[in-house]
Amino acid sequence: MSSPAAAKLAGKTVRRLGFGTMRLTGPGIWGPPTNEENALAILRAAVIAGVQHIDTADAYGPHTAEELICKALHPYPDDLLIATKGGFARHGPDRWVACGSPVYLRQCVELSLRRLNVESIDLYYLHRIDPSIPIADQIGELDQMRVEGKIKALGLSKVDLHQVEEARKIAPIAAIQNSFSIRNRDSEPIIRWCEQHDTAFVAYAPLEAGKWLHMKSSSSTADTLKELLAFSPAVFPIPGTSNLQHLEENLMAGLAP
C-alpha cells in the first residue's frame, strides 16, 4: 500500500526517510572517520536535501557520531529530529556489551546532551535491554529523565514483542528500532503492532549494511527504499552511508512531504 512521505515520530512530523550515522565512524564502528570533512559534508548534504530525522548513538565511535552531528549541524533546524541511544559499553572495534545500570544510563543521557549541545533529546532509545538488570530499572530510569525534561520521548532498540509490552507497562514508548529490509522481514509482527498502537517503527539496515549497493543499480536501491516506505505508514527507514554518491542514490526514494 502507498503512504504519505511524512508522519509523526516522537510527536514531531518529519519526512519518513531518515539518515543513520553509524557508518560515519572508523572501521568496526570505532574511532573517527578516515575523512572527517567527508562525514561532515554528508550530514549537511542530507539535511539540505530534506532529511529531517538523524539517527545516532553514543556507542558509535564511541561518541564520534554525536560529535560529528553537532559540528556539522548545530545550531539545528527547527524541523530536525535527532534521535540517539544509550546502554552499550564499547571495549574495541566491533565489541558491544549491553550495560543497563541506571547510573550508567543516566550518565549516557547527560553526556549525549552535552555532545549534541541540546537541552533535551528528541528521541532516546535504550540501545539494548541488559538481561542482567530488571527492565523496570532500565526503563524506569530513562522515564525519570523524561519527566525531568532531559528526554522528550523514549524508544527501544532490537526488541521482541514481549519486551515491548513489558516496557510499555513502565513508560510510554514512542518508537521501536529493529532491522528490516526487503529480504529480512522478521520484524513484520512488530510493525503491525506499531500500526495498532500509534508507534513508529524505525528500520535500521534497510539496505542490509550496503549489500544492495553491490547487488543492484542505484535506481533499484531507491526502489527498495520506496518499497519499505510503502510497506507500512509506521515504517521510518534510516539508511546510512559514508559515501556522498550513495546518499544521493538513497534519497532518490523521495523526500517530498
Side-chain angles (χ1 to χ4, degrees):
M1 63 181 170
S2 62
S3 54
K8 279 199 173 183
L9 173 62
K12 193 170 188 175
T13 299
V14 297
R15 296 182 178 99
R16 290 198 291 127
L17 186 62
F19 180 74
T21 62
M22 187 171 73
R23 298 295 167 186
L24 296 184
T25 63
I29 323 302
W30 186 258
T34 55
N35 186 333
E36 181 179 294
E37 287 305 314
N38 176 69
L40 297 174
I42 286 173
L43 285 164
R44 290 169 181 147
V47 172
I48 289 170
V51 168
Q52 297 174 316
H53 170 206
I54 301 288
D55 181 87
T56 192
D58 66 357
Y60 298 164
H63 312 156
T64 304
E66 290 182 334
E67 292 166 352
L68 289 170
I69 288 168
C70 185
K71 189 170 184 178
L73 302 175
H74 194 275
Y76 306 115
D78 291 340
D79 61 355
L80 183 66
L81 183 151
I82 298 176
T84 192
K85 313 175 194 72
F88 258 140
R90 298 295 308 278
H91 302 299
D94 290 320
R95 296 179 64 188
W96 310 72
V97 180
C99 182
S101 159
V103 172
Y104 180 71
L105 291 176
R106 178 166 286 273
Q107 174 182 291
C108 288
V109 172
E110 295 286 1
L111 292 176
S112 287
L113 286 166
R114 186 181 306 173
R115 283 188 292 268
L116 292 169
N117 194 11
V118 294
E119 294 183 359
S120 184
I121 295 168
D122 293 324
L123 173 57
Y124 194 88
Y125 295 91
L126 179 59
H127 207 159
R128 289 295 184 275
I129 292 175
D130 184 342
S132 70
I133 294 175
I135 188 172
D137 292 351
Q138 299 173 70
I139 301 299
E141 184 67 20
L142 293 178
D143 191 48
Q144 177 58 38
M145 284 183 278
R146 182 185 66 83
V147 172
E148 293 169 11
K150 299 177 188 295
I151 295 168
K152 295 178 183 176
L154 296 178
L156 301 171
S157 176
K158 201 169 183 179
V159 287
D160 58 33
L161 277 176
H162 174 73
Q163 292 170 322
V164 173
E165 291 288 8
E166 285 299 302
R168 284 182 74 241
K169 295 175 184 176
I170 304 159
I173 301 299
I176 307 297
Q177 184 172 140
N178 278 9
S179 61
F180 186 67
S181 69
I182 294 304
R183 298 192 306 173
N184 172 19
R185 299 196 178 190
D186 292 346
S187 289
E188 183 171 349
I190 290 185
I191 292 174
R192 300 311 178 200
W193 183 95
C194 287
E195 291 171 348
Q196 297 169 8
H197 293 84
D198 194 26
T199 303
F201 180 90
V202 177
Y204 75 82
L207 299 174
E208 301 180 27
K211 292 178 183 177
W212 277 91
L213 297 176
H214 302 293
M215 295 166 54
K216 299 289 185 179
S217 68
S218 62
S219 61
S220 293
T221 298
D223 288 345
T224 296
L225 291 170
K226 286 179 180 178
E227 188 170 345
L228 293 182
L229 287 167
F231 185 83
S232 166
V235 172
F236 292 73
I238 48 168
T241 181
S242 59
N243 183 292
L244 188 57
Q245 180 182 346
H246 292 165
L247 172 68
E248 293 170 351
E249 293 166 356
N250 292 346
L251 297 186
M252 289 171 61
L255 289 170

